[in-house]
Every structure is written in structure tokens, then in C-alpha cells.
Amino acid sequence: MDKSRQRTKDFKLNQSFIIKSKKSWWREGIVILFTSIVWVYCITVIYFFIDAIFSINNEYPRLFKVSFKMTNFDIQGFFKIAVVLLVTIYIMLLVWIFYNKKRFGSLTRRKYPGITTKEDLMDLDMIDEDIYEILQEEKVVVFETNPIRDRED
């Protein structure tokens, strides 16, 4: 169906699709507060790991390490295990890609169907030309019977 239907240029119709909401300032303030807390937490965790990996030993990360009974070697060991797992998963995914390309080939053979024209639909011989015109020009169509299943030949 390559012919577009008529659009209503009524302002009220266009305004009915716009979502309107009234946000309260205190709710937005709570959202900003929680977002800020999460950002500070993430930055603190990153700083904690950087301090342990490079053995900077600043005061605040050292306080966390003492309270959690950890050393820089523990954190570095954890980080090494995480890196090994990340590299292992990455290599497994690369092998999986190679396997799928060998088994199924490249995906260049796939192509999307072309634009359906009026002639294509008429060649199917499922609807009449007058029903096609009704479908193209009307915004809302109500059928008493199914025009494909209950057509009269």
C-alpha cells in the first residue's frame, strides 16, 4: 500500500496525543537526591578500587579496608579474577561468532521485502478494487462482514 491516507490537521486532534503531567517539586527533589546518592556511591567504589589497584593508600579508602578487614592484595586478587572472567567470556563469545559464521555463513543473503503496491495486492485476488480504495482513503473502516473470507465471487 504505497499511497498514504489523508491526515487530519486539526489542532485538537494533535493535542490529544500529547501526554501532559503535573510534576510536583518535592518528588523531583527526591529523585535528584537519590540519583546524587547513587552517583556518589559509584564514584566512591571506583575510587576504592583505583586506590587498591595502584596502592595509593589514601586515608578514606584505608579506613574502609580496615573496617572490612581487607588488604590491597585481596582487592587486587579480586580484580584479577574479574579481568580473567571478562576476558574468558569475551573469548568464548568470539569463538561462538566464528562457529556461527562457519555453520550458517554470512547474513548478507537476507533481504527485506520490497514495497507492496496496489498491483501486488490486486494480483492476490483476495479483495476487490473498490474495497482497496475504501481501505486507502478512510481513516476508520467498519466492515459488516470479512471482505476476504466472505466475499462473493
Side-chain angles (χ1 to χ4, degrees):
M1 299 189 188
D2 61 346
K3 187 170 119 182
S4 64
R5 60 188 168 141
Q6 296 293 323
R7 303 278 183 206
T8 305
K9 295 183 180 178
D10 188 15
F11 181 73
K12 288 184 179 179
L13 179 65
N14 291 336
Q15 290 297 318
S16 67
F17 294 117
I18 296 175
I19 298 173
K20 298 174 184 171
S21 68
K22 295 181 180 179
K23 297 181 181 178
S24 59
W25 61 271
W26 61 272
R27 188 173 291 173
E28 292 300 313
I30 290 173
V31 169
I32 290 171
L33 177 70
F34 283 143
T35 304
S36 302
I37 290 171
V38 169
W39 272 102
V40 168
Y41 174 76
C42 290
I43 290 170
T44 304
V45 169
I46 290 171
Y47 181 66
F48 178 76
F49 277 105
I50 289 174
D51 181 77
I53 290 169
F54 296 114
S55 297
I56 299 172
N57 292 326
N58 283 340
E59 180 181 350
Y60 294 111
R62 193 172 358 151
L63 181 66
F64 283 119
K65 290 175 205 167
V66 169
S67 63
F68 290 130
K69 297 178 184 171
M70 301 175 82
T71 63
N72 284 347
F73 295 114
D74 296 334
I75 298 168
Q76 289 171 356
F78 170 77
F79 190 72
K80 287 176 186 174
I81 291 171
V83 168
V84 167
L85 284 174
L86 181 71
V87 169
T88 304
I89 291 170
Y90 184 76
I91 290 172
M92 286 172 52
L93 288 173
L94 285 177
V95 169
W96 187 253
I97 289 171
F98 180 72
Y99 167 75
N100 280 331
K101 286 203 186 250
K102 285 292 184 187
R103 182 173 181 202
F104 300 111
S106 66
L107 299 179
T108 56
R109 66 180 181 266
R110 295 182 185 176
K111 68 176 191 172
Y112 291 101
I115 296 173
T116 304
T117 62
K118 178 180 178 181
E119 290 78 24
D120 294 335
L121 289 174
M122 293 298 112
D123 289 343
L124 293 174
D125 198 29
M126 295 182 81
I127 59 173
D128 298 329
E129 193 166 343
D130 56 342
I131 294 174
Y132 175 82
E133 294 299 328
I134 290 172
L135 290 172
Q136 281 292 312
E137 294 181 10
E138 295 296 325
K139 188 172 185 178
V140 176
V141 178
V142 178
F143 293 105
E144 299 295 327
T145 61
N146 187 338
I148 295 174
R149 187 182 60 210
D150 300 332
R151 68 182 188 155
E152 299 170 10
D153 286 326

